[in-house]
Amino acid sequence: MVELDIDTLGHYLDRALNVLIKRLNSVFKERGIDLQHAQFIILKVLYCRDGLSQRELAFQLGKDPAAVCRAVKYLENKGYVEQRPVNGTTNHVFLTERAKEIRPDIDGIADEITSLGLNGLDDEQIKNGIIFLTHIYHSAKP
């Protein structure tokens, strides 16, 4: 049996995530898209379900609410999202037309980065990797 401790696993997961995020940020910059990973992931969630509160976004992403607030403010300043009151009590975050227009570009870049990361792996290896990560997620969460 292969020995794998939490430090080694965490090290490789962290390195993989960081290199993908750096590459994504770099390609966004090269292509003139004023986004970073922190804002990109919020747009991705909103593309799936528009009109969430910042609390819902933080929960969906497993991120600190303050970090989500900063990213939403950035996206709002750039014209990608707007906040509107819902039920008179809470503001929800909605995509603007500008955000909808750039979706094909940012999705294409994300697909390119994913393909780079998976280069050289066959379908079975990718499937096993997804099973591995999904298992860890479900087994280790509180």
Side-chain angles (χ1 to χ4, degrees):
M1 175 158 184
V2 175
E3 292 290 325
L4 183 63
D5 61 46
I6 194 166
D7 293 328
T8 304
L9 177 62
H11 171 76
Y12 283 109
L13 289 172
D14 189 55
R15 286 182 67 191
L17 179 61
N18 284 332
V19 75
L20 291 172
I21 288 171
K22 285 179 184 177
R23 180 55 88 70
L24 182 73
N25 290 344
S26 173
V27 174
F28 281 157
K29 186 175 181 178
E30 288 170 12
R31 306 240 178 116
I33 297 173
D34 194 12
L35 286 177
Q36 295 282 307
H37 178 261
Q39 296 96 33
F40 165 75
I41 61 173
I42 288 173
L43 290 179
K44 292 296 286 183
V45 170
L46 292 172
Y47 287 143
C48 293
R49 186 171 165 222
D50 200 11
L52 295 173
S53 70
Q54 287 187 27
R55 182 183 308 239
E56 291 168 320
L57 282 167
F59 177 78
Q60 289 275 331
L61 295 167
K63 298 287 184 186
D64 176 60
V68 169
C69 181
R70 286 189 300 274
V72 166
K73 288 289 182 204
Y74 180 88
L75 289 167
E76 197 171 28
N77 289 337
K78 294 296 180 180
Y80 292 119
V81 300
E82 62 185 12
Q83 296 189 65
R84 292 181 285 198
V86 175
N87 299 330
T89 58
T90 311
N91 284 338
H92 284 219
V93 182
F94 292 88
L95 296 166
T96 64
E97 285 305 311
R98 182 171 187 217
K100 293 173 186 175
E101 289 169 3
I102 67 161
R103 183 177 183 177
D105 296 329
I106 65 173
D107 282 349
I109 292 168
D111 289 346
E112 285 176 37
I113 303 306
T114 302
S115 292
L116 281 172
L118 299 176
N119 187 30
L121 298 176
D122 62 33
D123 288 345
E124 189 68 21
Q125 290 170 314
I126 294 168
K127 179 182 160 191
N128 286 333
I130 292 168
I131 290 169
F132 173 70
L133 294 171
T134 302
H135 179 81
I136 291 171
Y137 173 76
H138 290 293
S139 297
K141 73 178 182 179

